[in-house]
Amino acid sequence: MRYRRLRFDIWLCLLLAFGVSLGVVKLTETLLDGAYEQYVEEHTVAEGDVGGRAGADVFRVQSIEDILSHDVFTIVSHGIEYRNRGAGYYDGIYTYAVTLPSGEVVAARINMENVQQEGDYYTSDHTLPVGRVVYADLTESKMFMDQISYGIPLSRTDFYVDMLGVGGKMTEEDYIKHYTGTAQVISIFLCFPFFHWLGARLGVFPCFFPPRRKKGEEKPQSEWD
């Protein structure tokens, strides 16, 4: 088995770029100070809105027929069955297979923050958030259909139930990591070629792409050859 080592100049530029990226992470964290509170405010759903807590006046559906005949509604699920029937990512959002009291199964995006339980977490009835129908051809995503049909297949694949709305907040840690991680990767990709270009200009590092020679001109000898 052959092993290849990265040249010293590449290691050094990567190390310098990583050092700069740590500073960028700290700067990004400073700039994000207070931003999470605004993010939480924007992703908090009011009671009665789609994704919000369902009050006593919100219709409790029993079947797909009920779902299709109401603008907004909720589903009462026994225990945590709504989390154990299969799930998958549809358009990048985690979507569950939810069994209705009729036994029919529909796809639903759920704002877990606003699920209400009557008693014990595992055995009591859970009232899901306010939902509405969103028509879509779920079969267009084979991966999603394979994931969500792991348990009982969906009864309808031409719509899903949106019980998320603008909800679905990230934790503060995940929110900060989302931005700092992106900033770190971008800074490394920008700084690495800059440091190597600068070193090559100063004659410290060899060029990645040697300058084009004029016709008849001999290739210059490099101290790195």
Side-chain angles (χ1 to χ4, degrees):
M1 183 181 294
R2 298 180 64 184
Y3 293 92
R4 295 183 180 275
R5 299 184 192 177
L6 287 177
R7 294 191 326 229
F8 172 74
D9 55 313
I10 295 178
W11 277 115
L12 181 58
C13 290
L14 283 173
L15 183 61
L16 291 172
F18 180 73
V20 172
S21 75
L22 294 180
V24 171
V25 167
K26 291 295 183 183
L27 177 61
T28 304
E29 289 176 347
T30 301
L31 295 175
L32 287 174
D33 187 31
Y36 183 70
E37 287 74 12
Q38 182 179 351
Y39 166 80
V40 169
E41 184 178 344
E42 292 173 351
H43 288 78
T44 298
V45 186
E47 181 173 330
D49 290 344
V50 173
R53 285 176 169 253
D57 59 327
V58 179
F59 185 77
R60 271 66 173 161
V61 298
Q62 300 295 312
S63 63
I64 289 178
E65 183 181 356
D66 287 344
I67 285 177
L68 298 179
S69 60
H70 290 78
D71 292 332
V72 292
F73 49 83
T74 187
I75 301 170
V76 178
S77 178
H78 184 67
I80 56 172
E81 186 179 31
Y82 63 97
R83 304 187 70 161
N84 294 331
R85 287 294 188 186
Y89 284 95
Y90 182 72
D91 282 348
I93 299 178
Y94 208 56
T95 305
Y96 297 83
V98 177
T99 304
L100 304 175
S102 64
E104 297 166 301
V105 182
V106 295
R109 294 173 173 176
I110 304 172
N111 184 4
M112 294 299 176
E113 181 181 16
N114 288 329
V115 175
Q116 304 170 78
Q117 65 189 66
E118 305 296 330
D120 180 72
Y121 178 73
Y122 295 100
T123 60
S124 67
D125 286 339
H126 288 215
T127 302
L128 304 187
V130 177
R132 66 182 179 91
V133 170
V134 177
Y135 288 97
D137 184 2
L138 305 182
T139 61
E140 289 182 345
S141 174
K142 183 179 182 303
M143 180 178 294
F144 169 70
M145 291 302 299
D146 290 342
Q147 292 171 332
I148 201 166
S149 300
Y150 179 78
I152 300 176
L154 296 176
S155 301
R156 291 280 293 264
T157 58
D158 59 334
F159 72 85
Y160 65 85
V161 177
D162 180 13
M163 292 183 158
L164 183 64
V166 296
K169 295 190 289 287
M170 290 187 284
T171 64
E172 184 172 9
E173 181 180 3
D174 289 340
Y175 177 81
I176 292 174
K177 280 185 177 180
H178 172 74
Y179 288 98
T180 56
T182 301
Q184 185 171 30
V185 170
I186 291 175
S187 62
I188 289 175
F189 271 94
L190 291 178
C191 289
F192 171 75
F194 171 75
F195 284 134
H196 201 279
W197 169 84
L198 183 61
R201 291 282 292 182
L202 296 174
V204 179
F205 302 146
C207 294
F208 275 135
F209 305 103
R212 179 179 295 180
R213 288 179 286 127
K214 296 179 181 179
K215 188 175 181 179
E217 184 180 355
E218 294 185 2
K219 179 182 178 181
Q221 289 292 322
S222 170
E223 59 181 291
W224 295 86
D225 290 339

